[in-house]
Amino acid sequence: MRPTVHDIAAAAGVSLATVDRVLNQRPGVRHVTREKVEKAIREIGYVRDVAAANLAKGRTYSFVFILPASDNSFMHGLNDEVRAAVARSSVERTNIRTVEVPAFDPGALVQILDELCDERPSGIALVATDAPAVRDAVDRLVQDGIPVVTLVSDLTGSQRHHYAGVDNIAAGRTAARLLGRFLGGAKGEIAVLAGSMLVRDHRERLEGFAAVIAAEFPSLSILPVIEGRDDPDMAHMLVADALSKKSGIVGVYSLGAGNRGLIRALKEKAVDRSLTVIAHELTTHTRAALLDGTIDAILNQDAGHEVRSAIRVLKAKADGLAVIEAQERIRLDIFLKDNLP
Amino acid sequence: MRPTVHDIAAAAGVSLATVDRVLNQRPGVRHVTREKVEKAIREIGYVRDVAAANLAKGRTYSFVFILPASDNSFMHGLNDEVRAAVARSSVERTNIRTVEVPAFDPGALVQILDELCDERPSGIALVATDAPAVRDAVDRLVQDGIPVVTLVSDLTGSQRHHYAGVDNIAAGRTAARLLGRFLGGAKGEIAVLAGSMLVRDHRERLEGFAAVIAAEFPSLSILPVIEGRDDPDMAHMLVADALSKKSGIVGVYSLGAGNRGLIRALKEKAVDRSLTVIAHELTTHTRAALLDGTIDAILNQDAGHEVRSAIRVLKAKADGLAVIEAQERIRLDIFLKDNLP
DNA sequence: CCAAATTTGATGTACGTAAATCAAAATCTG
DNA sequence: CAGATTTTGATTTACGTACATCAAATTTGG
């Protein structure tokens, strides 16, 4: 049987009230007594029953998710997953609120974060814009003892407790190797479509991609990056333009969102050119393009897993419990025609 | 606030005791009264607080994991993950026992299953050997109200509540496309190494693989399957033999375990031949081979995820709760050199 | 319509923890 | 050493549910 607070009290030779004071760091316990109790806790291997504790506390976790107001399928999907989590949350004594902020806008993000510092929720998840001001705001929250996890895109040098997202350098490297191997030694140019170099995930994907192409596929050269702001129309225009002007393009790597535009451009300009195309994020559009052969592989991060992982980690941090690291590693999905979910 | 049993009582105009009788299907409630209470439950949207209920019941889940006694890295890894789960289990009011049975032996499996029918654990997870007798034994357990999930390999036509494993047909298809694309139109023969055609997962992988090769890569032909019984030494012998005799082999697909032997054979016989190799299951051996270029891609199922998923599902079934389907889908990992964990 | 059987209500205890109160004991201060 | 202060103990209530008991009300059978 699992030891309880009563067992600690008996083992340490103190009363239940004292054990409670130690366990919940309440004042009014002499140093020696506190140590006696802590020793007993260690020795009998007591672990607090979180379910019972939360029941007694009447605790409800209040989490805030800060999401960018971007109009692309991935962010919509992320939003849906958060909503799905909200729907389940009542069963789990969890209140989740979402806040929208303008995309690529550090100032707005900092303002929200500072407001939350007073509100003191049980935890915060945010899609970070990678700027020093944002980092400082997050660090203030962490100093205040509020669990913070970054979602999808990480924050350089911050104290955030956890990052719920994929390893984007690895993603870029993987894209490069797939593209290189699929092209099988052909010579030519690669077009790269990104959202913005202001977000860390896109920068990192490009970095990994360029490194592997340079080191292992010297017959391929990378054209200057096209920044489409994750916007379908902008992406369409820019890619169509590039395909018209450059005849040496043999492959495309789309590392951001806004793939609807990319796909449209490919169907207009490249039906006859047999390009190899690798894109990020599985959406209805990229899925259809993979099945009809317009896209050859899709790299994906599962937004649902990211959201659920963020919630699990926030909960664990709020309860002072350990997380199962292997469980919380967000994997990079590679989808071909054949292993679509 | 979440509604409680008190709210049901008030809404239905009955006493707490009656609500309790309905909720826990105890006798002594008239039909009309029972319906009145059930209507109230639906209307106010009551959901039982499982944590509080388990606390009151003093409930501990007792789960049994039935694993084959195979001496290969994957099964060892699976074992380790179950043990890790056991280590965590005390915190979660869960008792997990593992039972080893001889591999590929339906009779032994049936015997264990029948014994468990009397023991009545809260749930059972098993790596199924795909035989009618096993299916019948599982169905008996399910009829008895014991939650059963299959792990890694599924059971054809059984009533098991859930399958915690990858889609093996998709895995085979994916392997075929990767191999075909990596070979870039080259002509030649493909060697396939399997464990045994008696287990469903291996059969399915081969089926998917052969289908895609035939349909989309007609320049490749598949040699008769080599059955290595998931045994490293046997695999080594058979593969070395095949490589010596056949000079037309351009690729290898290893769809089972025992890859240590495969890798040894490749290093002995094929250093100069530039084969494209795709294998299943990430282990220390396959990982090293991927990094040194002996293997080109590894398809993997994460044993840790499978075990944790199985436990989550068993718990949910034991509590009569819904599972989050998307969360429990076990994904096929594709690892290249660049995205290893 | 009365007795027997069934159904319902009222109430208490338990699970493991949190939190509060008040009294008693120990320690410190001058 | 008295008095103030700090530390400790004892006890109670609560969280939401399960389960048991006994009494009261209702329904059923003859």
Side-chain angles (χ1 to χ4, degrees):
Chain A
M1 270 294 113
R2 258 179 91 170
T4 74
V5 281
H6 294 87
D7 300 319
I8 305 177
V14 300
S15 78
L16 226 96
T18 303
V19 173
D20 180 70
R21 289 179 186 116
V22 173
L23 275 177
N24 297 291
Q25 17 226 13
R26 271 184 266 278
V29 185
R30 258 190 317 165
H31 197 71
V32 281
T33 317
R34 167 158 276 134
E35 295 212 316
K36 209 165 57 179
V37 174
E38 280 166 352
K39 182 157 162 283
I41 290 175
R42 278 196 307 275
E43 278 174 0
I44 67 176
Y46 168 83
V47 189
R48 183 199 248 104
D49 182 329
V50 182
N54 286 345
L55 178 61
K57 275 193 270 208
R59 155 163 222 169
T60 54
Y61 303 86
S62 62
F63 295 143
V64 179
F65 274 67
I66 307 175
L67 306 175
S70 297
D71 184 34
N72 62 62
S73 302
F74 177 73
M75 282 304 162
H76 289 162
L78 192 64
N79 239 300
D80 290 346
E81 291 296 343
V82 176
R83 258 200 297 278
V86 170
R88 284 187 305 266
S89 64
S90 71
V91 184
E92 295 154 6
R93 300 180 168 300
T94 309
N95 257 304
I96 299 172
R97 189 158 62 85
T98 69
V99 178
E100 289 226 327
V101 292
F104 312 125
D105 182 346
L109 199 46
V110 169
Q111 197 191 329
I112 297 283
L113 290 170
D114 285 342
E115 284 170 27
L116 289 175
C117 220
D118 302 326
E119 190 184 323
R120 295 198 61 76
S122 332
I124 298 173
L126 75 154
V127 178
T129 305
D130 195 20
V134 177
R135 182 201 54 205
D136 293 344
V138 164
D139 285 357
R140 280 195 292 279
L141 285 162
V142 173
Q143 290 306 320
D144 263 37
I146 299 177
V148 179
V149 314
T150 49
L151 197 65
V152 179
S153 189
D154 203 3
L155 198 47
T156 309
S158 84
Q159 313 265 318
R160 89 280 182 285
H161 295 87
H162 183 80
Y163 163 55
V166 298
D167 177 342
N168 286 299
I169 294 181
R173 295 179 60 90
T174 304
R177 188 170 309 273
L178 274 180
L179 199 55
R181 294 282 322 239
F182 280 5
L183 285 169
K187 260 195 165 51
E189 293 169 328
I190 307 290
V192 175
L193 171 66
S196 159
M197 287 296 109
L198 284 180
V199 282
R200 183 163 161 193
D201 49 350
H202 290 195
R203 277 206 318 276
E204 288 184 341
R205 285 174 192 175
L206 178 61
E207 180 190 333
F209 184 79
V212 168
I213 291 289
E216 309 207 26
F217 301 96
S219 63
L220 298 174
S221 62
I222 301 178
L223 293 173
V225 173
I226 301 169
E227 290 192 52
R229 308 271 311 168
D230 288 355
D231 180 84
D233 294 327
M234 198 161 164
H236 170 250
M237 204 192 67
L238 294 170
V239 173
D241 186 56
L243 288 174
S244 302
K245 288 192 181 141
K246 299 271 184 179
S247 59
I249 296 179
V250 294
V252 179
Y253 176 37
S254 167
L255 57 78
N259 283 316
R260 244 173 307 170
L262 166 74
I263 293 166
R264 198 143 52 88
L266 288 169
K267 293 204 168 165
E268 288 165 12
K269 303 278 176 183
V271 269
D272 48 336
R273 281 170 71 177
S274 91
L275 296 181
T276 297
V277 180
I278 304 211
H280 272 263
E281 315 314 352
L282 185 67
T283 64
T284 38
H285 306 98
T286 56
R287 180 193 195 94
L290 181 65
L291 286 172
D292 74 18
T294 307
I295 292 179
D296 296 274
I298 294 173
L299 304 187
N300 183 65
Q301 51 186 324
D302 189 310
H305 280 129
E306 292 177 328
V307 169
R308 289 186 292 267
S309 172
I311 294 172
R312 274 195 303 269
V313 171
L314 286 177
K315 230 179 234 180
K317 295 294 177 191
D319 290 332
L321 292 180
V323 303
I324 307 171
E325 286 300 336
Q327 177 167 216
E328 307 310 343
R329 220 193 113 246
I330 301 297
R331 292 175 297 173
L332 178 69
D333 285 322
I334 303 176
F335 291 120
L336 305 181
K337 233 182 210 178
D338 311 286
N339 64 330
L340 281 170
Chain B
M1 269 294 112
R2 254 179 96 170
T4 75
V5 280
H6 295 85
D7 300 320
I8 305 177
V14 299
S15 78
L16 225 90
T18 302
V19 173
D20 180 70
R21 288 178 186 116
V22 174
L23 276 177
N24 298 291
Q25 19 227 10
R26 270 185 266 278
V29 185
R30 254 190 319 166
H31 196 70
V32 281
T33 317
R34 169 158 274 134
E35 296 213 315
K36 208 164 58 176
V37 174
E38 280 165 352
K39 182 159 164 281
I41 290 175
R42 278 196 307 277
E43 277 175 0
I44 66 176
Y46 168 83
V47 189
R48 183 198 247 106
D49 184 329
V50 183
N54 287 345
L55 178 61
K57 274 192 271 206
R59 156 166 220 167
T60 54
Y61 303 86
S62 61
F63 295 143
V64 179
F65 274 68
I66 306 174
L67 306 175
S70 297
D71 185 33
N72 62 61
S73 302
F74 177 73
M75 281 304 163
H76 289 163
L78 193 64
N79 240 299
D80 291 346
E81 291 295 344
V82 176
R83 258 200 297 280
V86 170
R88 285 189 304 266
S89 64
S90 71
V91 184
E92 294 154 6
R93 305 188 117 58
T94 309
N95 258 305
I96 300 171
R97 189 160 62 85
T98 69
V99 178
E100 289 225 326
V101 292
F104 311 126
D105 182 347
L109 199 47
V110 169
Q111 197 191 329
I112 296 283
L113 289 170
D114 284 342
E115 283 169 30
L116 289 174
C117 220
D118 302 326
E119 191 185 321
R120 294 199 63 77
S122 333
I124 298 173
L126 75 153
V127 178
T129 304
D130 196 20
V134 177
R135 181 201 56 203
D136 294 343
V138 164
D139 285 357
R140 279 194 293 278
L141 285 163
V142 173
Q143 290 305 320
D144 262 36
I146 299 177
V148 179
V149 314
T150 48
L151 197 65
V152 179
S153 190
D154 203 4
L155 197 48
T156 308
S158 83
Q159 313 266 319
R160 88 281 183 285
H161 296 86
H162 184 80
Y163 162 56
V166 297
D167 177 342
N168 286 299
I169 294 180
R173 295 179 60 91
T174 304
R177 188 170 309 272
L178 272 179
L179 199 55
R181 293 285 317 241
F182 281 4
L183 285 169
K187 262 197 164 47
E189 293 169 329
I190 306 292
V192 175
L193 172 66
S196 159
M197 287 296 109
L198 285 180
V199 282
R200 182 162 160 193
D201 48 351
H202 290 196
R203 277 206 319 276
E204 289 184 339
R205 286 174 192 175
L206 179 62
E207 179 189 333
F209 184 80
V212 169
I213 292 288
E216 309 206 26
F217 302 97
S219 63
L220 299 174
S221 62
I222 302 178
L223 294 173
V225 173
I226 302 170
E227 289 192 52
R229 308 271 310 168
D230 288 355
D231 181 84
D233 294 327
M234 198 162 166
H236 171 249
M237 205 193 65
L238 294 170
V239 173
D241 186 55
L243 288 173
S244 303
K245 289 192 181 143
K246 298 272 185 177
S247 59
I249 296 180
V250 293
V252 179
Y253 176 39
S254 166
L255 57 79
N259 283 315
R260 246 173 307 170
L262 165 74
I263 293 165
R264 199 143 53 87
L266 289 169
K267 292 203 170 165
E268 288 165 13
K269 303 278 178 184
V271 270
D272 48 335
R273 282 170 69 174
S274 92
L275 295 181
T276 296
V277 180
I278 302 210
H280 272 264
E281 315 315 350
L282 184 67
T283 64
T284 39
H285 306 99
T286 55
R287 180 193 196 94
L290 181 64
L291 287 172
D292 74 18
T294 307
I295 292 180
D296 296 274
I298 295 172
L299 304 188
N300 183 65
Q301 52 186 325
D302 189 310
H305 279 127
E306 293 177 328
V307 170
R308 289 186 291 268
S309 173
I311 295 172
R312 273 196 303 270
V313 171
L314 286 178
K315 228 179 237 180
K317 296 294 177 191
D319 290 332
L321 292 180
V323 301
I324 306 173
E325 285 301 337
Q327 178 168 214
E328 307 310 343
R329 221 193 112 245
I330 302 296
R331 292 177 296 174
L332 178 69
D333 286 322
I334 303 175
F335 290 119
L336 306 181
K337 233 183 209 172
D338 310 285
N339 65 330
L340 282 170

